[in-house]
Amino acid sequence: MSQVHADRRGRLRDRCAAAGSAAALVSRPANVRYLTGASPPGAVLLLGGDADGDALLCPQPPTGDPVEGRVDEALRLTVLPPSGGDPAVTAADLARRADADVLAVEERHLSVARYRAIGSAAPRLRLEDLGTCVEQERLVKDDEEITCLRIAAEITDQALGELLESILVGRTERHLALELERRLVDHGADGPAFPTSVATGPHSGRGRHRPSDRRVEEGDFLSVCLGANYRGYRCEIGRTFVIGTAPADWQIELYDLVFTAQRAAREALAPGTAYRDVDRAARQLLDSAGYGDGLAPSLGHGVGLEIEEDPQLSPSAMGKLDACVPVTVEPGVHLPGRGGVRIDDTLVVRQEADGGPELLTITTKELLAL
Amino acid sequence: MSQVHADRRGRLRDRCAAAGSAAALVSRPANVRYLTGASPPGAVLLLGGDADGDALLCPQPPTGDPVEGRVDEALRLTVLPPSGGDPAVTAADLARRADADVLAVEERHLSVARYRAIGSAAPRLRLEDLGTCVEQERLVKDDEEITCLRIAAEITDQALGELLESILVGRTERHLALELERRLVDHGADGPAFPTSVATGPHSGRGRHRPSDRRVEEGDFLSVCLGANYRGYRCEIGRTFVIGTAPADWQIELYDLVFTAQRAAREALAPGTAYRDVDRAARQLLDSAGYGDGLAPSLGHGVGLEIEEDPQLSPSAMGKLDACVPVTVEPGVHLPGRGGVRIDDTLVVRQEADGGPELLTITTKELLAL
């Protein structure tokens, strides 16, 4: 893996050099991890003019524990002592001593106070904005990254599948959410990719409903949304079930509508398709059925080292899909007081010739009565 | 509760006015919650020249869900539409329209990019640094806050007590950590205050060991560190046990040493005591026993709406304890390859006349053989 990280750093180094920056300081944790394989708390990466000038710096944890995380062998990790101050300032000082005159920093992530501290410590270093250079590099995933996402999805499907075999009526949303998270870890996840959501009855159909003490009842819709974090890579699945022997007519109708909308958006996933067109494929169906007003601003998003990353699949998003970009497709309709339906998958965009979009989360999307 | 929040905002308004700022923008989530009772994701608080000018702004969640959280009735919550941009920029615009000339912002929290966006949107507004004004106000807790911490500690003791009654040998660190977190929620916690740490055998004695697949074995030391989050308030407990019938001599010796050091630091807690003297009370005992080099940089810290807040109890900390400041006292010794002992309590500093330090986490500190 360490060659992969060295290559990524090399590409970023080239982009910075082309933009006139001899050095760059990366502080956003997911970006640090992408470029080094690790992101101990508070770590920053200094990218020098050549690989020898690279340095990963982090503060000694206040607990005194050794720093954990698989760090790239090609890169030294320096743990600063408690009196060592801000690693970003130390990195700027290293850049200055290596005769860099321009340092690109992540203005979207760096605080004003740290920015000022760097400016005071290295006044002759000109600070430029690195912008979203690293985030753009992270958009298209390599095979190793997609393998991690695939494993994350397998774990997620297993955890959900086991839950479906258990008795649900009478149990609270909070219990079910905790049980799903335990099962994710049982099956090898590093943890949940985001807080697991379990929504029953009137809560169902919401995207990030925070589990409450409400118990599952006969006749409820039950929506769950969960995902595993595997080696930092995060996926997402959302399903809606009905509790009891037979769904009501309104439940079948609403389910079919959301299912059809979700399928339309999944089928729209192809290299070259505009982000907004994926959103529109689902949104226009829900809109013409009269549910346009209550829809989420975005019906899907990229996933990877963060659970929500670029691209956003929304009406105002600019840009087009590439192959090997993993995204969620997650339309939902919530009827206040009654509940609703949400169906959410993680897929990888693929060329038609490669079989079209690759569905990672394969749990059935039939309306199961549990 | 809403009067409490209005009073807190009033005090901050007075401090800002005294420093020459007609308005302040608070963006650090724990600070927003302290001043309003809620902190929906991305929310910022604008503190105007008078209470009518206050506004709490947050973006519409991308899932389209309603914004949750108990919001102070005296304060309107504005949810910005997807096209609404950065709430911090909107807040600055509101301040400018209300004729404020100076806006204090949290430079330690605000990113350079947001700072620049505010500057562009309201070029005639002078931006000053609010510094750690709100953090300083949060240091001394009121009765309601201490009640929340007390409940958090009760929940934590209950969860730990139940674990001690179960069979431990053969179970993995990960399972035990998940079970503790489930029990925290069962007993009414909003969630864990921080990732639960369970460390067995050679891992034991570390402060924030990330639970692994190692199983509990006869003869192991077992250290656990957990805490409940109750209404946003977070406490912490750490205990070390021995697995099996009789601890080895080195285990008894090490345990007694850490216990004695922890007691010394607890007994040093009093209004007027320097932070560093609390640290020293424990550190000098561990140091003279030959364990000085491996100690954590800090042997305790404040707790409240964040699990690690001011004050730090460390050799370089400046300042003195006040009454009604809750802190942890958590020395530990880890012997590489063998394991170790860590004992951690949450206490509230009290006057001698009020009975001295109030121990919130009351689980026994005897060396239990489980």
Side-chain angles (χ1 to χ4, degrees):
Chain A
M1 266 304 264
S2 79
Q3 190 53 47
V4 171
H5 299 127
D7 289 348
R8 290 175 186 167
R9 292 196 297 275
R11 279 197 298 277
L12 183 61
R13 197 187 323 279
D14 292 347
R15 282 187 71 162
C16 286
S21 296
L25 178 70
V26 180
S27 54
R28 184 172 173 153
N31 289 349
V32 173
R33 185 159 187 175
Y34 177 75
L35 293 167
T36 70
S39 60
V44 303
L45 169 67
L46 172 68
L47 210 70
D50 56 45
D52 287 344
D54 292 354
L56 181 61
L57 304 145
C58 76
Q60 172 69 48
T63 53
D65 288 344
V67 175
E68 293 179 3
R70 297 177 309 154
V71 177
D72 191 332
E73 298 113 48
L75 190 67
R76 62 177 180 279
L77 170 72
T78 307
V79 179
L80 301 180
S83 56
D86 183 343
V89 172
T90 306
D93 195 53
L94 287 174
R96 184 189 57 78
R97 289 197 214 178
D99 284 328
D101 50 352
V102 180
L103 178 68
V105 300
E106 295 182 300
E107 293 196 353
R108 277 169 187 73
H109 182 264
L110 208 63
S111 72
V112 177
R114 295 184 93 183
Y115 188 86
R116 289 201 203 288
I118 293 171
S120 305
R124 267 172 300 185
L125 204 56
R126 206 171 74 239
L127 301 182
E128 297 273 350
D129 187 10
L130 184 60
T132 56
C133 270
V134 188
E135 285 84 348
Q136 285 164 39
E137 289 286 329
R138 284 168 47 198
L139 211 75
V140 173
K141 269 68 176 178
D142 65 28
D143 287 346
E144 187 124 14
E145 294 182 282
I146 291 176
T147 300
C148 288
L149 283 167
R150 213 177 272 131
I151 296 172
E154 279 173 20
I155 292 170
T156 306
D157 280 321
Q158 283 175 313
L160 180 55
E162 288 175 0
L163 187 82
L164 299 185
E165 289 169 12
S166 64
I167 303 284
L168 298 172
V169 172
R171 297 170 72 193
T172 69
E173 294 174 354
R174 293 223 270 191
H175 270 100
L176 293 174
L178 282 162
E179 180 167 333
L180 282 167
E181 294 192 354
R182 186 178 61 77
R183 289 184 188 279
L184 289 173
V185 174
D186 276 358
H187 288 293
D190 296 326
F194 54 90
T196 298
S197 177
V198 174
T200 63
H203 302 150
S204 60
R206 286 189 189 162
R208 283 277 184 279
H209 172 71
R210 214 177 127 191
S212 74
D213 289 323
R214 191 182 181 282
R215 291 176 192 278
V216 177
E217 293 175 14
E218 286 283 330
D220 274 358
F221 263 144
L222 169 72
S223 324
V224 298
C225 186
L226 70 154
N229 166 358
Y230 181 76
R231 298 198 177 167
Y233 285 84
R234 290 150 202 264
C235 75
E236 190 175 314
I237 190 173
R239 291 290 184 269
T240 301
F241 310 102
V242 73
I243 304 296
T245 44
D249 287 348
W250 74 273
Q251 290 178 318
I252 296 174
E253 239 166 75
L254 190 62
Y255 193 92
D256 285 347
L257 174 69
V258 175
F259 175 82
T260 307
Q262 203 252 2
R263 186 178 54 197
R266 277 190 282 120
E267 288 174 354
L269 293 176
T273 304
Y275 301 148
R276 59 172 60 162
D277 288 343
V278 181
D279 175 274
R280 184 160 55 209
R283 192 176 295 270
Q284 67 185 5
L285 285 167
L286 300 172
D287 195 25
S288 39
Y291 299 115
D293 284 348
L295 294 182
S298 155
L299 300 187
H301 55 79
V303 294
L305 287 169
E306 291 171 293
I307 187 60
E308 269 205 55
E309 47 180 70
D310 289 336
Q312 282 293 325
L313 306 180
S314 72
S316 60
M318 301 290 285
K320 292 177 177 183
L321 289 172
D322 273 313
C324 301
V325 173
V327 294
T328 67
V329 174
E330 47 176 312
V333 170
H334 174 79
L335 309 178
R338 297 179 77 187
V341 176
R342 195 177 181 90
I343 303 174
D344 182 355
D345 278 311
T346 302
L347 304 98
V348 181
V349 177
R350 301 279 189 193
Q351 296 286 356
E352 182 88 37
D354 295 330
E358 178 188 352
L359 182 68
L360 300 188
T361 44
I362 60 170
T363 297
T364 181
K365 286 185 281 285
E366 272 180 275
L367 176 52
L368 297 182
L370 303 174
Chain B
M1 265 309 261
S2 79
Q3 190 54 48
V4 171
H5 299 127
D7 289 348
R8 290 175 185 166
R9 292 196 297 276
R11 279 197 296 276
L12 183 61
R13 196 187 325 277
D14 292 346
R15 282 187 72 160
C16 287
S21 297
L25 178 70
V26 179
S27 53
R28 184 169 174 157
N31 290 348
V32 173
R33 183 156 189 179
Y34 177 74
L35 293 167
T36 69
S39 59
V44 302
L45 169 68
L46 172 67
L47 209 70
D50 55 46
D52 287 344
D54 292 354
L56 180 62
L57 303 145
C58 76
Q60 173 69 48
T63 52
D65 288 343
V67 176
E68 293 179 2
R70 299 175 306 153
V71 177
D72 192 332
E73 298 114 46
L75 190 69
R76 59 178 182 278
L77 170 72
T78 307
V79 179
L80 302 179
S83 57
D86 184 343
V89 172
T90 307
D93 195 52
L94 287 175
R96 185 190 56 78
R97 289 197 215 178
D99 284 330
D101 51 350
V102 180
L103 178 69
V105 301
E106 295 183 300
E107 293 197 351
R108 278 172 186 72
H109 183 266
L110 207 65
S111 73
V112 177
R114 296 184 93 185
Y115 187 86
R116 289 201 202 287
I118 292 171
S120 305
R124 266 172 301 182
L125 203 55
R126 206 171 74 237
L127 301 182
E128 298 274 351
D129 186 11
L130 184 59
T132 56
C133 271
V134 189
E135 285 84 349
Q136 285 163 38
E137 289 286 330
R138 283 169 48 199
L139 211 76
V140 173
K141 270 68 176 177
D142 65 27
D143 287 347
E144 190 124 11
E145 295 182 282
I146 291 176
T147 300
C148 288
L149 283 167
R150 212 177 274 132
I151 296 171
E154 278 172 22
I155 292 170
T156 306
D157 280 320
Q158 282 175 314
L160 181 55
E162 287 174 2
L163 187 84
L164 299 186
E165 288 168 13
S166 64
I167 303 285
L168 299 171
V169 171
R171 297 171 72 193
T172 69
E173 294 174 353
R174 294 224 270 191
H175 268 100
L176 293 175
L178 282 162
E179 180 167 334
L180 282 167
E181 294 191 355
R182 186 178 61 76
R183 291 185 186 277
L184 289 173
V185 174
D186 275 359
H187 288 292
D190 296 326
F194 55 89
T196 297
S197 176
V198 174
T200 63
H203 303 149
S204 60
R206 286 189 188 163
R208 283 277 184 277
H209 172 71
R210 212 176 127 190
S212 75
D213 289 325
R214 189 181 183 283
R215 290 176 194 278
V216 176
E217 294 175 13
E218 286 282 329
D220 273 359
F221 262 142
L222 169 71
S223 329
V224 298
C225 186
L226 70 152
N229 167 357
Y230 181 75
R231 298 198 177 165
Y233 285 84
R234 291 150 202 263
C235 74
E236 191 175 313
I237 191 172
R239 291 290 184 268
T240 301
F241 310 102
V242 72
I243 304 297
T245 43
D249 285 348
W250 74 273
Q251 290 178 317
I252 296 174
E253 239 166 73
L254 191 61
Y255 193 91
D256 284 347
L257 174 70
V258 175
F259 176 82
T260 307
Q262 202 250 5
R263 186 178 55 195
R266 278 190 282 121
E267 289 174 353
L269 293 176
T273 304
Y275 300 147
R276 60 172 59 157
D277 289 342
V278 180
D279 175 274
R280 184 160 54 207
R283 191 175 295 270
Q284 68 185 6
L285 284 167
L286 299 173
D287 194 26
S288 37
Y291 300 115
D293 283 350
L295 294 183
S298 156
L299 300 187
H301 54 79
V303 294
L305 287 168
E306 292 173 291
I307 188 59
E308 269 205 55
E309 46 180 69
D310 288 334
Q312 282 294 326
L313 306 180
S314 72
S316 60
M318 300 292 284
K320 291 176 177 182
L321 290 173
D322 273 313
C324 301
V325 173
V327 294
T328 67
V329 173
E330 46 174 312
V333 170
H334 174 79
L335 309 179
R338 300 179 77 188
V341 176
R342 195 175 181 90
I343 304 174
D344 182 355
D345 279 309
T346 302
L347 304 98
V348 181
V349 177
R350 300 281 190 191
Q351 296 287 356
E352 181 89 38
D354 295 330
E358 179 187 350
L359 182 68
L360 299 188
T361 45
I362 59 170
T363 297
T364 182
K365 286 185 282 282
E366 273 180 275
L367 175 53
L368 295 182
L370 302 173

